[in-house]
């Protein structure tokens, strides 16, 4: 699996809802023996075989692992020793509570703490004083998955005070495994996950799922591959223009995936369109005439959304034609090296920008 890093919660954390579990130990995924003797519940993981491999490693280190599958897509990547939840949504809290009790669960591991099924499980776990571990792949890119206790993103227990980090001792460098291009793995696993998930509805019923399960989900991925090549040709000269004509005179705005919890849960914006509109209005009102604004589409959202018409309309309305760019697959580190500033909701590009010495405005 990709390199795993553990973010240990500070003992002084005041994050909502974690007070009941602050006595639980910090688990280190570099040393899975710390899970020995634990009764672990796995819910949904990243699309693909990651959770099945994790379960195998946990069992080898003396943990008892229980997995709940919600639909045939989950089953495809975890087919051994699991429990089915096939009931209606309103039955899930009762079912989850029964699993926690009968299996004597003391630890829940999951990916994404805003999914409906996971939110219920987290609430139940906190009331019981159980340990919760949440995976996230968005903090550090590329090559990393991160892991925190109790919650990630807006629910993270990591301190928000800058002084905390300034006073931390330097951490040793950690060997990093380069994964290369993972796009085709994601495409292949995603295709089978959603296809099998939809086919399974014929005998398993409507699943409790945070995203629609449909074979049609393969279409946005196909469209994404086509658009990638189209934009590469269409925008072939844009990067050169930005790096020379607009060097250090543009603000970069990396967009989030349209249904990302960073937008829908951890921000005040109703949608990415709302975010785009507010940023352009602010730019029109306050930016010097010599500055430009550059929106970069999220590569994982390429097949689902296109904001070109909206951005063109707003550019005309605010008399900003020629000063607003909408781009897709240009080299991000190079763009950061030449940017004046970066505006994000909660994107991990903010961390990259800081590392490049670029000012960051976070609106999440």
């Amino acid at each position: 699996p990709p390199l795993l890093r553990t973010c240990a919660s500070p003992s002084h954390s005041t994050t909502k809802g974690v007070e009941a579990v602050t006595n639980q130990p910090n688990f280190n995924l570099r040393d899975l023996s710390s899970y020995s003797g634990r009764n672990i519940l796995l819910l949904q993981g990243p699309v693909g075989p990651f959770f099945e491999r994790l379960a195998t490693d946990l069992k080898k280190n003396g943990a008892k692992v229980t997995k709940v599958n919600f639909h045939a897509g989950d089953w495809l990547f975890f087919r051994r020793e699991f429990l089915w939840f096939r009931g209606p949504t309103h039955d899930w809290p009762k079912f989850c509570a029964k699993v926690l009790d009968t299996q004597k669960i003391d630890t829940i591991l999951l990916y994404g703490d805003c999914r409906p099924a996971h939110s219920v499980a987290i609430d139940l776990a906190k009331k019981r004083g159980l340990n919760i571990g949440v995976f996230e792949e968005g903090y550090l890119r590329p090559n990393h998955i991160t892991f925190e206790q109790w919650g990630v993103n807006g629910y993270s227990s990591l301190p928000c005070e800058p002084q905390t980090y300034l006073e931390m001792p330097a951490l040793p460098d950690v060997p990093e495994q380069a994964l290369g291009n993972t796009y085709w793995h994601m495409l292949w696993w995603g295709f089978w996950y959603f296809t099998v998930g939809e086919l399974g509805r014929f005998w398993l019923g409507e699943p409790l799922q945070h995203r629609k399960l449909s074979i049609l989900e393969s279409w946005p991925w196909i469209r994404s591959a086509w658009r990638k090549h189209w934009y590469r040709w269409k925008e072939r000269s844009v990067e050169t223009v930005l790096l020379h004509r607009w060097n250090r005179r543009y603000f970069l705005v990396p967009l989030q995936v349209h249904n990302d919890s960073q937008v829908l849960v951890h921000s005040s914006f109703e949608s990415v369109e709302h975010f785009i509109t507010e940023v352009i209005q602010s730019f029109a009102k306050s930016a010097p005439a010599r500055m430009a604004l550059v929106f970069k589409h999220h590569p994982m959202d390429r097949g689902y959304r296109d904001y070109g018409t909206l951005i063109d309309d707003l550019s005309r309305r605010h008399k900003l034609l020629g000063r607003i760019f909408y781009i897709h697959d240009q080299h991000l580190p190079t763009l950061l090296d030449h940017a004046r500033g970066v505006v994000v909701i909660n994107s991990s590009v903010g961390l990259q920008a800081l590392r490049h010495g670029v000012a960051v405005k976070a609106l999440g």
Side-chain angles (χ1 to χ4, degrees):
L3 183 65
L4 297 168
R5 304 202 63 169
T6 301
C7 299
S9 170
S11 59
H12 61 273
S13 170
T14 57
T15 302
K16 292 180 180 179
V18 305
E19 291 83 356
V21 290
T22 51
N23 292 325
Q24 293 286 352
N26 289 325
F27 292 118
N28 183 356
L29 286 179
R30 295 185 176 285
D31 179 16
L32 293 183
S33 63
S34 63
Y35 285 81
S36 178
R38 287 274 162 181
N39 295 325
I40 299 171
L41 174 63
L42 295 182
L43 296 180
Q44 287 186 312
V47 173
F50 177 79
F51 258 27
E52 186 174 46
R53 295 173 181 174
L54 177 62
T56 299
D57 291 342
L58 288 169
K59 291 174 184 177
K60 289 179 179 177
N61 282 272
K64 177 186 174 184
V65 178
T66 302
K67 174 71 166 69
V68 173
N69 285 340
F70 295 89
H71 54 77
D74 288 342
W75 168 85
L76 178 66
F77 291 107
F78 205 109
R79 298 192 293 272
R80 294 179 297 176
E81 299 179 17
F82 63 89
L83 302 175
W84 276 118
F85 174 72
R86 308 188 194 183
T89 300
H90 59 79
D91 283 350
W92 168 241
K94 183 178 179 180
F95 180 92
C96 184
K98 183 178 180 180
V99 171
L100 296 178
D101 293 337
T102 58
Q103 302 297 322
K104 296 181 172 55
I105 299 298
D106 51 51
T107 303
I108 299 179
L109 302 182
L110 50 86
Y111 171 80
D113 55 7
C114 291
R115 300 180 181 186
H118 291 177
S119 296
V120 169
I122 289 172
D123 288 341
L124 291 171
K126 288 178 178 177
K127 292 175 182 177
R128 287 165 163 76
L130 309 183
N131 196 59
I132 304 163
V134 184
F135 291 91
E136 170 62 54
E137 61 181 358
Y139 284 5
L140 303 172
R141 295 176 185 269
N143 302 334
H144 292 81
I145 286 178
T146 51
F147 175 75
E148 288 186 79
Q149 287 189 292
W150 306 312
V152 296
N153 300 319
Y155 297 140
S156 172
S157 55
L158 290 172
C160 293
E161 300 78 17
Q163 195 62 30
T164 302
Y165 299 96
L166 295 174
E167 295 173 355
M168 280 184 177
L171 297 174
D173 288 337
V174 179
E176 182 173 331
Q177 178 182 345
L179 299 179
N181 185 357
T182 61
Y183 175 80
W184 293 108
H185 285 86
M186 296 171 65
L187 177 63
W188 185 246
W189 288 340
F191 169 77
W192 284 111
Y193 181 80
F194 287 103
T195 300
V196 173
E198 181 181 31
L199 294 175
R201 291 164 58 188
F202 291 105
W203 71 87
L204 296 176
E206 194 66 30
L208 173 57
Q209 174 69 2
H210 65 292
R211 291 178 61 181
K212 182 179 179 181
L213 283 175
S214 172
I215 195 172
L216 297 178
E217 278 293 310
S218 61
W219 166 241
W221 287 86
I222 296 171
R223 181 166 55 188
S224 176
W226 179 86
R227 283 179 173 176
K228 181 179 179 69
H229 293 290
W230 163 244
Y231 290 136
R232 181 181 297 167
W233 179 86
K234 181 183 178 182
E235 300 171 2
R236 61 192 181 279
S237 61
V238 172
E239 188 170 312
T240 301
V241 171
L242 292 175
L243 302 188
H244 293 86
R245 180 181 174 185
W246 297 98
N247 181 38
R248 304 294 294 178
R249 292 195 297 116
Y250 64 84
F251 296 99
L252 179 65
V253 187
L255 300 177
Q256 313 256 164
V257 174
H258 71 279
N259 58 358
D260 194 332
S261 61
Q262 300 283 32
V263 180
L264 303 180
V265 178
H266 300 302
S267 85
S268 60
F269 298 103
E270 298 173 358
S271 63
V272 172
E273 290 87 346
H274 182 194
F275 170 68
I276 292 171
T277 301
E278 186 164 310
V279 170
I280 290 179
Q281 289 173 344
S282 176
F283 182 80
K285 179 180 178 181
S286 304
R290 60 187 180 84
M291 301 299 296
L293 188 63
V294 180
F295 290 95
K296 185 178 186 302
H297 199 93
H298 196 291
M300 295 302 297
D301 211 30
R302 191 192 301 115
Y304 291 89
R305 290 290 189 274
D306 186 312
Y307 303 111
T309 300
L310 172 64
I311 292 173
D312 286 344
D313 290 344
L314 291 170
S315 299
R316 292 189 183 91
R317 187 185 311 169
H318 294 283
K319 299 180 174 57
L320 294 171
L321 289 174
R323 292 174 57 199
I324 296 185
F325 297 83
Y326 177 44
I327 63 176
H328 291 78
D329 294 301
Q330 285 68 24
H331 188 240
L332 182 59
T334 301
L335 293 175
L336 292 174
D337 283 336
H338 295 264
R340 181 65 173 270
V342 170
V343 181
V344 298
I345 295 180
N346 292 311
S347 172
S348 60
V349 178
L351 290 175
Q352 291 178 264
L354 292 175
R355 190 167 187 173
H356 283 255
V358 182
V360 175
K361 175 66 175 178
L363 299 178

